[in-house]
Each structure stands twice: as structure tokens, then as C-alpha cells.
Amino acid sequence: MSGGLKRLSVEHLRGSLKPFTLDFERAKRLTIIYGENGSGKSTICDAFDFIGNGKVGSLDGRGLGKTLGFWHAVGSFPSDVRVELESHSGTCSAVLEKGLVVASPADRRPSIEVLRRSQILGLVEAKPADRYEAIRRFVDVENVEAAENSLRALLRSIEADEKTSIVRIEQNRETISGYWESAGRPAPEMLAWAAQEVSCSNSATDKEIQFIRSLQRAMTSLRSAVSQRTAVKSRTVPSTEERDRTQQEFDAAASAVSASAPAAIEILQAAQPHFARHPDPQRCPLCESSENAAGLAARVAGQLAAISSLGRLREAESRRDRARDGLAALEQSIVASTEAVLREANELRTRLADPDWPEGVPKAASDLPGEADAIGQWVEVNVGLIDSWADAENARAARAQAGKNLAAAVAQLKKNTTLHSEIARILPHLGEALRIMESERKAFVDAKLADIASDVGVLYEKIHPREGLGKISLVLDPKKRASLDIAVDFRGSLIAPPQAYFSDSHLDTLGLCVFIALAARESADETVLVLDDVLASVDEPHVDRLIEVLYDQAQRFRHVVITTHYQAWREKYRWGWLKHGQCQWVELGPWSAASGICSSKASAAPLLELASLLQQVPPSPQLQCASAGVLLEAICNFLTESYECDVPRRKGGRLTLGDMLPKIPRKLRDALKVEVLQPDQNYSEVPLSTMISELQEMMQLRNIFGAHYNDLAQKLPAADATRFATLVHDLGSTLICADEGWPGSDKSGSYWSTKSETRRLHPLKKPA
């Protein structure tokens, strides 16, 4: 949001019981709001704070806790609060919604900086950490500090890695040394020996291990085959005996049946299924005769039943057949197991005959035979070879593992040595980078603080010239983070903190200068600066210069609003002792519950007041002369002080018009002239001698008409009073610029002038 301010509207915010509107004069960037205590000045400042910063700062620090409940005016609701700021580029409004200040449109929300009396000492007397918060956003290097901390953490991590790599290198060397010692120190240099060992291939050892494992597998397989054959053969004798016994039982059962019985039984049994399908055959199925066919099926069944020993015979036959089958299967298993023994024996025999038999691996005491039973005996004799071969394998495996461990240790030593070298190369650069980063950050912050301090010093020197207090230092405590100290160079000596030595007036102006310098650093031309009654404790000798500084600083900002109840400022403004061409003066009337905040008609400047009285119809000679007399006394006071005229001094120090006007010497009076800047930028010269001389002759009219009750005033023509007032007005209009006041500057070296030289008063010095 940019552009000059047009209007501030406030509804139901704190003291604004009724809607209040403050109109701003176009092209004037400084607005001074004058009012007695309790007239509503702080509410206007709160309105700026509300719309710009979403808060009501005047209630902070008063022990109220959360102040939101006190924002709305008495008798209204939070939802009634509304502040609107209109500028020449647009309008922004703010309301309270659910405890939050919502500005609309958000992108037009104005930048507002508010300084209150309570905050001034907060900038100076606060703890260093709290003081730093006030300037944090102007010197904020949080991201840089975060990067710096990351680099510092990386540096610590790499330093730890360096220490770890040294420890690991030592561990690797100890591991290699152990193997070197175990090997009997075969070479004078440990690492050279280790490198040689690692370069040698372990494939031969691995091949031997694989061969020994194949021996173990072959011997184990043969042993298993022999065990299986032995187990099968152990069942042969019982099976043979079972076969013979069942045969004998069958023979005994068969002898109990006629010799033809078995054959007949077989015939009869075979006929039964046929007769089951053909119960009434017409012919005999065996002989095909028909004469005995009737009842044949019944007779066959009867004959089978009649043979009583048939069942026993059949059972004996079944047992005999089972025994025969079992023995036959056992004989087949013996053949198969024998073949397995011979096959496994051939496999082992091939291994045993390998011409590349590893050195140190035990061999069998005798050759492996070819017959199965002899093979079994050989296995029983040589079964211990399995354990011997396992020991040989373990010895070689241990040796292979040691080689691998040695190779790993050598590889780790190389890796850790390389890492340590890389760390040793990088570490100094990281340290230097951190040092540079810290140095650059400190230099940046110091430069920012020095820049701010320089601005503060310039402002402070303007308020306190020739007091030797303009050298301000803002310094971060190097031992603490975000801790800001203020020091002042007082007559060559650095004193800190200033609150231990400065008066309240000096501390107030110092805090005000710090605030203005900070507020001006961040888009000042977009910022509305609000100063709420900050002149309370500034003493008289400094207040004029402070006001001049505030006038000057107003030109840096988008707008400056100053509230004050300082009556001397009001009078200085009225009399034109201060330049005020770019200043809007607003006076507030008494606050009341019925009307809330209200504007009052500003007191007119004496010159304007006199001009108004001269235009009244009918005229008032008494008011004209009274106003003209006061203005003429001010003019005479200005001229006699500027030219150091010889005026009488008396107890109390008050000079009258009769004391001053006659004391303007004739030579000075004749030399006095004013160059008035015209709209075409040319000067017109106006001599003052004639006006001053005529006024000296008429000055008694002031007392006659305007100062006392006097019968003579009723006898003199009113035109005399008007003429006196008119001459005073002409003299004042010539000497005083409506925009820049009195010509009080002697910087030209040859005349007195206003700041922009709209008036030039000659001569600079009283003629000799």
C-alpha cells in the first residue's frame, strides 16, 4: 500500500465511542495531533497499530494479561470494531474476527511503526537480549547462523572422524601385527609381508578344502552304504527260517487232505463263480453232459463245505507264500545294497587314488578291496579317517580365514589411511571456511550496527549539539548470542551503559533516535511512523531541536503522525517559531461519553488571527489592537535579540513594547529590509524602516484601544486602531513566511533566512 494518506476512520475502538474520522491534508507528510490528556490521542495511535500490526499496543505492559477483551469501546462488541485507512492509492480496512485482526485486502495492509513513551526506555534500559529483539529484523542473520552451525557441526563430525580413523588405523596395524607375529615374522617389514600374503592366491587352499570335503562325503556315503547292507543281511537268517517253517506247516495241512483234494478244491472253487451267474445250468460246465446237470450247483457247494480241513490248508498256504515273498524281497535288497557299497567304494577309491593328494592329509593303511564284505571290514578299520580329514579341513579353513582376515585388515588399513589423508587435507579448509563465515557474519552485523549507530549519532548530535554525545556504539556481546549493548563516547571516554550516567531527558531522546533510525531502515517511504506522546520528559533547551529533527525526519517516511500534549509546541507552532509548511496541525477537543473523540478548531497563528480580525464587519478596534500589540511585541523581541539591541533589563525579565520598539537604532532601522520570494522564484525587496517608524509613533494606540479601559479610546477614531493593526499585519506578513516561519538562520553569512530562503532579512549584523 503506497500513496499519501487521505483519511483514517475509527469505530468502537477503545475511546472511539462514536465513529471518528481524521482527514489528512494532501502533500503534507507530517501530522501533529495536539490534545490534553484523556482526549483520545492514544486511541488514534492504537487505530494505526490495529490496522498495521494487528494489536493495541498502548495496553501492553499494564498488568492486564491478555488485553483483547479491552480493545472494543465500552457498550460495544468486539465485532463492532473497525478501522479504515484510505490513501490516494486505495483503501484498507481491519476488523476483529474470532479474536484475530483481519485486514482486507491483505495486500494493502499498511506498514506501521508505533513508538510510545513506555517503549522508549525499553530500547535503552532493557536487558541486552530484549534490546536485540528490537533490532533483530534489521540485522537478522538467522539463516547464516544456521549454515554456520551446520558447518561447525560438520567440522566437529569430521574432527571426530579423524580421531576415529586414527584409532582404526592403529587397530588395523595391531591385527596385521598379530598375524605377522603368528607367522614368525617371516619378513623384516610387517606391511610389506602383509601385502605379499594378500597378493598370494588362496585358491590352492580352497581346492584342498574342497578335496578333503569330497573325501569326507565319499567315506561317509560308503560307511552308510555298508551299514545298510549289514542291516539287510542281518535280517536274512530269520527270513529263511520263517520260509522253511511255513512250508512245513503247509505240507502238514496238505497231507490231511486227499491227494486229489487240492485239485478238486481248486475245481470246485473255480466253479462257484460260474454257478453264481448260472444257478440252473443245462449242462455240466466241465464235461458238458446234461444227465446230471440238475442240482449241480448245490452239489458243488455241498462238497466244498464237506471238506473240513480246507480252511487250515489255505491259511498255511498264505503264510508260506508271504514268507517266500519276504525272503525274495530281502534277497533283492541285499543285491541293491551290495551294488551301492561297490558303487560308493569305487567313488572313494577314485578319491584315494588322486595323484594331487594334499600334503599332510592322512591316508588309509591299506587299499580299498573290491568284495563287499571285505569293503565293510575295511571301513570299520579306517572309519577314523573321517575325523582326521575333518581336522585337516579345519586347519586349512582356519588358515584361509586368517588370510581373509589379513586381507580385510590390509584393505581397512588402506581405506582408513586414505580417509585420514583426505580428512587431513579437508579439515584445515573447513576450519578456514568457518573462520571466514564467522568473520563475515560478524563484519556484516557490526557494519549494520555501525550504520544504525551512525544514524542514531547524527540524530542525537542534532538534538544535543556540542555536548560530545554524538558517538553512539551498538555492539553485540561476543560471548553471548543476540545480546546488544549500547555505549556512548562522552568526551573521549566510552561509557556504558548510558542509563547509568544520562539524565531522563537524554535517555528519552536517545531511545527516540534509536527508534527513528531503525524505523527508517526498512522501506521508510512505505512506512507510517506514529509517535505517541514521546516528548513528555524532554527539557526545554532540547525540545526545539527535537521538534526540528522530527520535522526533518518526516520527509523520509510515507507519513509521520505525532501526538502531544506539550503546550509549548502548540504555541511555537502558532507563532511560527518552527517551520511548519509541510505540517498538518490537528487539535482534539475534550473527550466525552456522549461524543467520544472529537476534533477542535485549531488555534490560529497570531498573524492569521490578526488578518481575520481585520476582515471582520463591523470591526473591533479593541480586539484588533490587542492582537496587533502581541504580534508587534513578538516582532520587536525577534529583531532586538537577532541584532543584540540595547534594551533595558529588569527583574522578572519581561520587556514591553515601549522597552523594545524605540531601542531599534536609526541606522539599523534604515538598513532593515526583507527579500520576499515570489511565485515566479524572483525576490521582491521590502524596506522595513517606514513601517517601524510609523508604528513607533502609533504604538500608544495599542494601550489605548487594546490593553486597558481608557476614556481616550472613545474619543479617537476607530480607523486609527485599524491602521495600527494593518501596519503590524503588513510588517508581520513581510517578515514571517506562512510556511517556514521566521528568518532565524544565519548560515548564509550575509543575511538571516528561513530554511528554504523564502524570506531573507538584511543585514546580518547591526550597523556600527
Side-chain angles (χ1 to χ4, degrees), residues 674-678 683 734 737-741 753-760:
V674 177
E675 291 182 290
V676 181
L677 183 64
Q678 301 301 317
Y683 286 95
T734 301
C737 175
D739 290 332
E740 297 196 359
S753 70
T754 58
K755 183 176 182 180
S756 300
E757 297 198 357
T758 56
R759 296 290 188 276
R760 293 175 176 174

Side-chain angles (χ1 to χ4, degrees), residues 36-335:
E36 298 296 334
N37 289 330
S39 59
K41 301 187 299 297
S42 291
T43 294
I44 296 174
C45 296
D46 285 336
F48 280 104
D49 213 0
F50 181 86
I51 194 172
N53 305 315
K55 64 179 182 178
V56 175
S58 67
L59 297 178
D60 294 341
R62 297 189 178 185
L64 298 176
K66 294 183 178 180
T67 62
L68 183 62
F70 307 102
W71 290 8
H72 57 280
V74 176
S76 62
F77 299 95
S79 58
D80 296 331
V81 176
R82 179 182 176 85
V83 176
E84 183 175 277
L85 183 62
E86 182 181 354
S87 73
H88 291 286
S89 61
T91 301
C92 180
S93 61
V95 296
L96 268 177
E97 292 183 3
K98 298 180 180 180
L100 298 175
V101 178
V102 179
S104 178
D107 60 344
R108 288 190 177 275
R109 190 167 201 167
S111 172
I112 306 289
E113 293 285 352
V114 181
L115 177 67
R116 297 179 172 86
R117 164 72 182 137
S118 59
Q119 295 172 266
I120 290 180
L121 294 182
L123 289 170
V124 179
E125 296 183 352
K127 295 178 180 178
D130 296 334
R131 188 184 299 126
Y132 180 80
E133 287 300 316
I135 68 165
R136 173 186 291 276
R137 70 178 187 271
F138 304 106
V139 296
D140 188 17
V141 288
E142 185 174 347
N143 291 335
V144 176
E145 287 179 334
E148 190 177 306
N149 289 334
S150 297
L151 180 57
R152 189 175 291 107
L154 176 62
L155 184 61
R156 286 196 295 265
S157 175
I158 292 180
E159 287 174 343
D161 289 345
E162 182 186 35
K163 294 178 181 178
T164 301
S165 68
I166 293 173
V167 172
R168 288 177 176 172
I169 288 172
E170 187 60 32
Q171 291 175 344
N172 299 148
R173 292 181 66 89
E174 289 178 359
T175 300
I176 296 172
S177 177
Y179 288 115
W180 184 53
E181 294 285 349
S182 298
R185 296 193 175 194
E189 208 287 309
M190 176 184 70
L191 296 181
W193 168 83
Q196 179 64 30
E197 285 292 305
V198 169
S199 66
C200 294
S201 174
N202 287 324
S203 59
T205 302
D206 293 338
K207 184 176 180 181
E208 289 181 358
I209 291 173
Q210 295 302 321
F211 177 77
I212 295 172
R213 288 176 179 173
S214 69
L215 279 176
Q216 293 179 80
R217 287 194 297 271
M219 177 64 100
T220 301
S221 297
L222 177 58
R223 183 183 182 190
S224 176
V226 169
S227 296
Q228 290 179 3
R229 181 174 180 275
T230 302
V232 171
K233 287 184 65 178
S234 66
R235 295 196 301 272
T236 302
V237 173
S239 296
T240 301
E241 292 175 349
E242 178 66 15
R243 182 199 62 187
D244 294 343
R245 183 180 63 77
T246 57
Q247 182 64 44
Q248 290 174 0
E249 290 176 354
F250 176 80
D251 292 342
S255 64
V257 182
S258 62
S260 60
I265 290 173
E266 292 179 358
I267 294 173
L268 292 174
Q269 288 177 336
Q272 271 188 322
H274 176 79
F275 289 137
R277 294 192 299 273
H278 307 286
D280 296 315
Q282 299 299 317
R283 293 179 180 275
C284 174
L286 184 62
C287 63
E288 296 186 350
S289 63
S290 59
E291 60 270 17
N292 295 317
L296 183 59
R299 289 196 301 276
V300 169
Q303 287 182 6
L304 286 171
I307 302 175
S308 59
S309 59
L310 180 60
R312 291 191 296 276
L313 179 61
R314 294 178 64 184
E315 291 176 358
E317 182 183 24
S318 177
R319 288 194 294 274
R320 181 202 64 186
D321 291 343
R322 287 198 298 275
R324 285 178 178 176
D325 293 341
L327 182 59
L330 192 59
E331 289 174 346
Q332 290 179 355
S333 295
I334 292 173
V335 172

Side-chain angles (χ1 to χ4, degrees), residues 530-542:
V530 180
L531 305 177
D532 185 13
D533 225 357
V534 297
L535 304 179
S537 69
V538 181
D539 52 8
E540 183 66 26
H542 298 104

